[in-house]
Amino acid sequence: MQEDIKVNGHKKTVKVWCDGCYDMVHFGHANSLRQAKALGDYLVVGVHTDEEISKHKGPPVFNEEERYKMVRAIKWVDEVVEAAPYVTTLETMDTYECDFCVHGDDITMTADGVDTYHQVKAAKRYKEVQRTAGVSTTDLVGRMLLLTRNHFRQGQYEYSVDSDHSSSMGLDSSARSPWTGCSQFLPTTQKIIQFSDGRPPLPTDRVVYVAGAFDLFHVGHLDFLEKARRLGDYLIVGLHTDPTVNRYKGSNYPIMNLHERVLSVLACRYVSEVVIGAPYSVTKDLMEHFGVHAVAHGSTPVAPDEDGRDPFLYPKAIGKFISVESGNDMTTEKIVERIIRNRLEFEARNLKKEKKEMDLIRAIEAQKSGSCKGDVLKMSA
Ligand code: CTP
Ligand code: C5P
């Protein structure tokens, strides 16, 4: 609930601060920013540099320019502060006139095990929102490293990890951190409603339609959507089903299942509406149903439909197809390649992060049972 702070009888604009790495931005990040924005009027998001992240956590998958851009595109964000310090200081909060800082209900520590929010917590300028279970950068990197296809199954959703991967990730749930361990994301209609604008197009709106996998939503998608949106007033994104994406991408794609991809795309400020499981070919029916004025596609290759035909045959035939140059060569496959190339580094990073969290949980449990001696909890609030 948003708080009304009054200054001389007038409602003051409540400015909220969030910060983080925002690496491989996913709908968990977006959901935390959505919740943070709801606590105030104006949301400022601080994003750490590559250098800071490498020092405290391990190398990020995306560089800082890419991460700044991704956070700016999340529809609840009003301002991005580049190169925000890893430990949130009161000075930073004051510089940006933020009333309080919001973070998910997990613990973030520096390389030395110090709670990065200890200053704002002590100053009572800290609030927590619920972390979205079942998705994290660590989890996504894990999925790519495991090359598991068990996070989606044809027609049904299944999130467990293959038993033959137990050696690298550990299947014993008691040995997994509740924060970044690969738990289950449970998609609900409520979450979709929270992410959606819920605004139908105006009769005067020019409706643009695009379709694709939008797997591991990235800067290439973003640049494309920004340009596609400029072609009209209302942008509809058709998301292909998991079996369809798997048919044309092969291997273990998509990395994110349809529900996850829906939320990632809905969080983008350029997107007005999403079709959950769009037909691969853009048909006359579809275009008439949504009142589509233009269909756009980026510079990436287009695989034929199952019958061998071009999926954009109809919009091309009626002169409503527009080719958009995103100017960005990022692809989902390139992200996976980056991860695989740095496999050992990322594996070590994931294990280190989870170990730190597990150590903290054990320390909290030990303290609760009264067996804790000394200052094991120096990092907790
Ligand atoms: N966050 C969240 N739900 C998730 C993942 C992140 O609410 N599933 C929140 C974090 O609690 C934090 C913000 O997103 O408030 C930024 O998180 P970040 O620093 O990028 O770290 P994580 O995504 O948690 O990193 P990792 O995936 O490596 O655990
Ligand atoms: O590959 P995918 O189906 O996820 O792409 C969705 C849309 O984004 C397509 O129109 C594709 O051409 C576009 N895109 C782009 N530039 C990129 C990556 C994707 O224009 N670097």
Side-chain angles (χ1 to χ4, degrees), residues 109 138 175-177 179-181 347-363 379:
M109 288 167 274
T138 311
R176 304 302 314 278
S177 156
W179 294 312
T180 55
E347 250 168 7
R349 175 199 117 133
N350 288 7
L351 287 173
K352 193 170 103 186
K353 184 163 190 282
E354 238 186 302
K355 185 181 174 305
K356 261 208 248 176
E357 291 176 353
M358 287 309 293
D359 287 348
L360 176 68
I361 286 164
R362 285 194 197 99
M379 67 289 268

Side-chain angles (χ1 to χ4, degrees), residues 168-187:
S168 54
M169 288 293 277
L171 272 188
D172 172 9
S173 62
S174 66
R176 304 302 314 278
S177 156
W179 294 312
T180 55
C182 189
S183 61
Q184 201 171 334
F185 168 66
L186 299 169

Side-chain angles (χ1 to χ4, degrees), residues 65-86:
E65 292 308 326
E66 293 168 327
R67 292 182 292 105
Y68 299 152
K69 193 182 216 172
M70 288 299 285
V71 176
R72 265 190 198 105
I74 294 178
K75 63 185 177 192
W76 298 285
V77 177
D78 295 299
E79 187 180 338
V80 164
V81 172
E82 300 183 359
Y86 207 78

